[in-house]
Structures are given as structure tokens and as C-alpha cells.
Amino acid sequence: MLSAEMRQRRPRPETEEKSSSDRNTEESRDRRKRNGVGEGEDKGLRWFLPLLVLGCLRHMSATSNIVHDCDEVFNYWEPLHYLLYKSGFQTWEYSSEFALRSYLYIFIHGLVAKPASLFFPEDKVRVFFSVRLFLGIISTITEAALVVALSRKYGKRLGLYALAMLCLTSGCFFASTSFLPSSFSMYGVTLSSALFLFEKYAAAVSVAAAGVILGWPFSILVVLPVTIFSLIRGPFVKVFISGLFTSVILLGLSLYADYLSYGKLTFSVFNLLKYNVFGGGESHLYGTEGISFYFRNGFNNFNFAFVLALLFVTIIPISRKKYVPDLAIVVSPVYIWLAFMSLQAHKEERFLYPIYPLICVAATAVIDSFPDIFHDKYSSEQSIFYKIAKGVRPLILGLILCASHSRTFSILNGYSAPLKIYQHLQYHHDEIEPGSVLCIGSEWHRYPSSFFVPAYIEQVKWIDEGFNGLLPFPFNETLGGTKAAPHYFNNKNKATKEQYFGDIDACSFFIELDLRRPYPARGTDFSKWETLAAIPFLDRELSPAMYRSFFIPYKWAENNVFGLYKLLKQIVPSD
């Protein structure tokens, strides 16, 4: 009787309630099937190809990228140089009176820079590029994860399109190896988005927290959608505790790093928020831009891909089954961040870095959806319009990538002179006595960092050529180095007399940009200055917008106007 009852037992029906993780897995499988990605049919891209291709392009970026922003030099490269060599420039943000910048971010890069400085004791330039290669490796890993996640969820085609965009769009090429908190936040946003698509919700929230705390606190708006939906989808307690634990640990480390560096109990993350939000938004002192700034900037860095990314919302009704809700959640920060940042008075290109990879994802999703527009209308894959739309996809992608490569090539060739000219200093070590002084006038904002200044040059000095804002001062060991609160710093961007060097005759070398304007350049006075090196530099004011922005073969050099970036040596009168 018992055995008969056992034979009559049936397995539990599949309609019974399943756990949330089971439902998420089935929903993901259903989405893949709707996208034409069946079980055993398309497992997505393997890791090797994205890592290889992105690795090559990020190596190119690390070795050829220019320094796009003086903030990168004076707020990050210079403090790192000081920690390694006990010399470098300090900005008012690093004064212990204000303590707006986190030394934990600098320490992280010091883990690479310190061994590199021991391995290359006589070549600081190699230390500089070692740190850049480290940034390129992080970028490669995070972006490869996003590509693999996209391909596994939406098919190889979307993954390959995204891979091409991430590799070749100018914005990603430049931002990927910039030593900036906004780039670090970009790494966090990219990896957390990938983990969200992998359905690793606890890890996604932890990485998002790391990107915000170690990188840029304001980027919390960018990771908000992924964080909220990860809490909703995953086991809430596990996801919440994971994010909380990561945040507490990193905030504690940041507090400790600030205490060691500033010599007092202070919290740079809170100080930065206080200055920019609760302090009345003093960042407007450093320049303001109109509401269209980021849209113009986005087009410059992504050309038509930026326009397509903004059109992502328009394809949701057509491709709802494919991209809602997961991809829509991942892409939504593009709109949130653009709206928020456009309302701020102070705008800079680097502020958009956290959403750069998401712009690529949104644009590739739109390109991939072109055939869907006609498929739904004509209900047939044999429609001529459907076939044309499929053929247009690689053409549009190719156009975007060609324009991007043209933009990148133009920037690198037009504005790389500062990095190159400073490296000429190392060739004159034998003919100059120690204690030389390098002077810089209006080109202070293109100073590539003290990593490019050889040890035989004792001092770098600023010469007054009309700038009326506050310039960085050398870290003062006498006052306490990183713990100092020098009296000459202020948070109102007001220049002080002490920032300029008054004795031009004491300058051994001088860096200038000769744009051949009506007023004379120092390098034209051959009785006092000898030109040691001169490299062409694109004259932005006199060059047509089309030709200076994009490299057009045979037309770029012909139509643009160039000045000369010069390294001058003062001629010492013979007795």
C-alpha cells in the first residue's frame, strides 16, 4: 500500500512559487530568448577578445594621451610626486586648513608609483607612465566585464558593437588613463553596471560604493539606479550589508589617510561636499559655462554616438522586450547626470567622465535596434526596409568610429607638445650646473607635472604674465609639508604676490608658447634666449573648427594654423 502511494506521488508542479533568485534567472533566460539568444546558441563573448583589444587600446592611451586638465596635474600628480620625492606643487585644496582632497586616492596610486620609483630611480618620466599603465589596466578590466555582460545578456553583436565604441570613441580613449577621481568613478560605474547585468547584486552595490568614496562623491547620482534596483532584486539584507560594509571600511580608511596626511582629524569627503553644496557652491569662482556646454562637449567626444545615446528613450517602446528593465536601468544615469550637471554653473569636461561608457552602451543599443523599427511595422524579416536597416547598422557604427579616430588623432597631434617639450630637459643635464631654475609664464596650466622635471633643476617658478587667480605653491617642508596650512592660500581664488617669481634674469630655462601674435615672444630675443627645442602646437583661435576638431587627411596640416611650443635657455653673458 505504501509503495503504491509512493508510485502515485508526482513531482511538485513547476507553477509553485519559486525563490526570487530563481525567478530572476528565468526572467533573464526569457529575455535572452526574446533577443534571439537561445540556450546553447550564443553564450556571449569570452573574456579573451575584450581584454586583448581593450588592453591594446588602453596601452596606446597610457603612452600617448595628453594631460587634458591642469587640475589633474596640480591636485593629483603633484601630491603623488611629493610623496615620492619630497618636492612638488600644493594647491589650496590640500592645505590642512581646507583639506578638500582625499589622500587615500593618492595612496592607492602610490602602491604602483613607489615600486616604479625604486625600479627607475633616475627616470621619473617612466614612473609617470607606469601609473598611467596601471590606470589603463583598471579601465581594461572594468570595460571588458561590461562587454562580456552585455554579450551574454543581449547577444554577441551588441557586445561587439559596445567593444568597438569603448575602444575607439575619443571620450573613452582620453578618460580611461586620466589620473582623476572622475575617471576612477567611471571605473566603478562601469564595473557595477556589468555586475548588475551579471545579476551579482551585492557585488554591484559594493563596487558602486567604492567608486563613489574612492573616486568622486558626487557620482553617487550615477550609481543610484543600479544600487536601488540591486536592493530590490537581490536578497535585500545581503545587498544592503555588502554596500554598508564596503562604505564603512573605505570611509574609515579615508579618515585615517587624511589624519596621517593633514595631521589632524578631518574628513576630506565631507569637506568637499560642504564646500560645493553647503558652502554656497564656491566652484563658480573657477569659471562658468552655459547650459549647452555638455551637449557640445559630448558631441565633440562621441560625435553621432552621443546623439544616438540621447535617443535611447525613443526606442524603448519598440525594443521594450529587449531592453526594459535591465538595460534601461543601466543607461538611465546618462539622462540623470546630464540634467544635474547642466544645471550647475561651473562646468568642466571631466565632470562627464563617469557616464562615458554608458553613452557607448546607449548608442550601441539604438544602433542594434534599427531593424526592430521596420520589423514591427511590416511584420516580416523579409521586408526590404528591414534588410536595409540591418545593413545600415555597421555603416553607422563605422562612421562613428572613423569620426572618433579622426578626433583622437587631431587632439594627440595638435596638443601633445607640452609633454614632449619638457622631456627635452633631460638632454641638457651635462651642460648645466645643478641649481637651475625653470620658469613658466602663461603656460602654467599646461605644466605636465614635476615628473617631467629632471633632478638637476632645483626650482620651478611662475612668471607673472597676466593671470590673476591663485596658483599652486611648492609643498613647504618647513611648515610641515602635507600638514601645513600656509597663510598664502585662500579659497576665493585670489592671487597673492608671493606666487610669482620676480627675477627673470635668474631663470635658466623658460617655457613659452609662441603663437606668432603681434606682441613679441621671449624666444624672438636672440640676444638673451637660445631655443633648445620647438614643437608645433595647434593654434585653436586661428584654425577652422572643422579642421582643428577632426583630422582630415591632406587637409589637417594645410588648413590649420600652428604656433611653436618652445624650451628656451637663457644666454649667460661671457665675462
Side-chain angles (χ1 to χ4, degrees):
M1 185 70 177
L2 180 61
S3 59
E5 289 179 357
M6 292 177 65
R7 285 195 300 271
Q8 291 174 2
R9 286 180 183 173
R10 297 179 180 177
R12 295 175 62 189
E14 294 181 1
T15 55
E16 288 188 16
E17 185 177 353
K18 296 179 176 63
S19 67
S20 62
S21 61
D22 290 338
R23 288 197 304 272
N24 288 336
T25 301
E26 289 189 359
E27 288 172 6
S28 176
R29 189 183 300 117
D30 290 341
R31 280 193 295 271
R32 285 195 295 269
K33 287 180 179 178
R34 287 196 299 269
N35 297 342
V37 184
E39 293 289 331
E41 188 177 313
D42 188 346
K43 298 292 185 180
L45 295 172
R46 296 183 180 273
W47 286 85
F48 177 75
L49 179 63
L51 287 172
L52 175 65
V53 178
L54 282 164
C56 291
L57 268 296
R58 295 302 169 250
H59 179 271
M60 291 174 60
S61 174
T63 53
S64 63
N65 197 5
I66 66 172
V67 178
H68 296 262
D69 196 315
C70 63
D71 190 70
E72 177 182 353
V73 170
F74 294 118
N75 277 329
Y76 306 104
W77 285 114
E78 287 301 293
L80 179 62
H81 187 275
Y82 178 78
L83 294 178
L84 296 175
Y85 303 104
K86 292 303 175 184
S87 68
F89 284 99
Q90 178 186 26
T91 63
W92 70 269
E93 292 102 319
Y94 279 95
S95 167
S96 62
E97 178 184 354
F98 305 107
L100 261 63
R101 304 295 178 179
S102 170
Y103 268 96
L104 180 59
Y105 178 68
I106 306 297
F107 289 166
I108 291 171
H109 297 78
L111 295 175
V112 173
K114 184 61 177 178
S117 68
L118 298 175
F119 196 74
F120 305 113
E122 303 296 328
D123 195 343
K124 295 190 294 183
V125 174
R126 290 195 178 188
V127 178
F128 176 93
F129 285 110
S130 296
V131 174
R132 271 202 172 173
L133 287 170
F134 167 66
L135 297 173
I137 290 170
I138 299 177
S139 177
T140 297
I141 294 171
T142 58
E143 290 172 6
L146 182 59
V147 168
V148 172
L150 287 168
S151 70
R152 291 185 181 177
K153 204 169 194 72
Y154 302 105
K156 287 184 179 179
R157 182 176 56 246
L158 185 67
L160 288 171
Y161 283 5
L163 176 60
M165 286 272 200
L166 290 167
C167 284
L168 293 176
T169 48
S170 301
C172 290
F173 185 89
F174 293 137
S176 60
T177 54
S178 294
F179 185 10
L180 287 166
S182 50
S183 283
F184 202 89
S185 292
M186 180 184 75
Y187 307 148
V189 170
T190 304
L191 186 55
S192 66
S193 299
L195 291 168
F196 178 79
L197 295 175
F198 280 132
E199 300 175 11
K200 307 290 184 183
Y201 301 121
V205 172
S206 292
V207 169
V212 170
I213 295 169
L214 295 178
W216 198 24
F218 299 104
S219 65
I220 190 171
L221 283 176
V222 184
V223 298
L224 205 56
V226 163
T227 300
I228 292 173
F229 280 91
S230 292
L231 287 167
I232 293 172
R233 289 186 176 184
F236 179 86
V237 174
K238 179 183 177 182
V239 175
F240 179 80
I241 290 177
S242 177
L244 180 65
F245 179 77
T246 302
S247 300
V248 169
I249 293 296
L250 293 178
L251 288 172
L253 288 173
S254 179
L255 188 65
Y256 182 61
D258 291 341
Y259 174 75
L260 291 177
S261 303
Y262 291 117
K264 64 179 184 180
L265 197 61
T266 187
F267 195 14
S268 60
V269 175
F270 174 74
N271 295 340
L272 183 64
L273 292 171
K274 178 183 176 182
Y275 173 76
N276 284 283
V277 180
F278 309 113
E282 297 285 358
S283 59
H284 70 273
L285 295 170
Y286 300 90
T288 60
E289 296 286 349
I291 200 166
S292 66
F293 175 80
Y294 287 125
F295 295 93
R296 289 184 282 109
N297 184 265
F299 186 80
N300 283 339
N301 283 304
F302 293 92
N303 57 82
F304 299 106
F306 184 72
V307 177
L308 292 175
L310 296 181
L311 293 175
F312 178 82
V313 290
T314 65
I315 67 160
I316 287 180
I318 301 168
S319 301
R320 187 179 189 86
K321 292 181 179 179
K322 282 206 292 189
Y323 299 140
V324 177
D326 289 15
L327 199 65
I329 293 167
V330 168
V331 167
S332 62
V334 171
Y335 300 95
I336 297 171
W337 194 239
L338 273 173
F340 174 76
M341 295 308 298
S342 294
L343 293 174
Q344 310 307 309
H346 179 58
K347 299 178 179 69
E348 296 192 40
E349 179 180 335
R350 69 179 187 274
F351 292 171
L352 281 195
Y353 284 8
I355 62 169
Y356 272 8
L358 304 186
I359 291 173
C360 294
V361 173
T364 54
V366 173
I367 294 173
D368 191 49
S369 297
F370 282 170
D372 296 342
I373 300 171
F374 301 100
H375 182 271
D376 289 346
K377 187 173 182 179
Y378 294 96
S379 301
S380 172
E381 294 188 6
Q382 302 305 315
S383 164
I384 185 63
F385 297 103
Y386 181 86
K387 291 180 178 179
I388 290 174
K390 288 181 67 176
V392 162
R393 287 187 302 198
L395 293 178
I396 295 295
L397 181 65
L399 174 64
I400 290 169
L401 298 184
C402 286
S404 295
H405 178 69
S406 177
R407 167 76 175 173
T408 302
F409 194 89
S410 179
I411 296 294
L412 295 182
N413 283 271
Y415 302 106
S416 61
L419 279 178
K420 296 176 181 177
I421 205 74
Y422 280 85
Q423 294 184 61
H424 280 270
L425 286 166
Q426 63 185 321
Y427 304 142
H428 301 278
H429 179 273
D430 295 335
E431 56 192 80
I432 302 294
E433 294 183 2
S436 299
V437 178
L438 171 65
C439 294
I440 307 167
S442 59
E443 284 303 296
W444 66 268
H445 63 291
R446 293 193 180 98
Y447 179 63
S449 84
S450 298
F451 283 94
F452 289 82
V453 179
Y456 77 89
I457 292 180
E458 189 173 284
Q459 299 178 83
V460 177
K461 296 290 187 180
W462 311 129
I463 301 298
D464 188 358
E465 290 190 339
F467 180 70
N468 58 5
L470 181 64
L471 287 174
F473 282 78
F475 277 94
N476 194 320
E477 274 290 301
T478 304
L479 296 178
T482 62
K483 299 176 182 178
H487 69 278
Y488 40 74
F489 281 138
N490 64 80
N491 63 352
K492 301 298 181 184
N493 196 28
K494 292 181 179 179
T496 63
K497 294 180 180 179
E498 297 145 282
Q499 72 187 28
Y500 289 119
F501 186 53
D503 187 8
I504 188 69
D505 293 331
C507 299
S508 309
F509 300 96
F510 196 91
I511 298 288
E512 76 167 356
L513 173 58
D514 182 1
L515 293 177
R516 303 171 187 179
R517 297 291 193 267
Y519 47 84
R522 280 190 174 83
T524 59
D525 186 354
F526 301 111
S527 64
K528 294 189 66 174
W529 298 98
E530 173 190 359
T531 300
L532 297 180
I535 298 175
F537 188 89
L538 188 65
D539 189 334
R540 187 179 184 279
E541 293 181 11
L542 299 183
S543 298
M546 172 63 73
Y547 293 106
R548 74 167 183 259
S549 298
F550 300 97
F551 179 83
I552 301 173
Y554 307 109
K555 296 289 184 181
W556 188 80
E558 178 183 330
N559 288 275
N560 285 319
V561 178
F562 296 87
L564 288 174
Y565 215 86
K566 294 181 178 180
L567 169 61
L568 307 176
K569 175 187 172 185
Q570 186 157 196
I571 298 172
V572 180
S574 57
D575 296 333

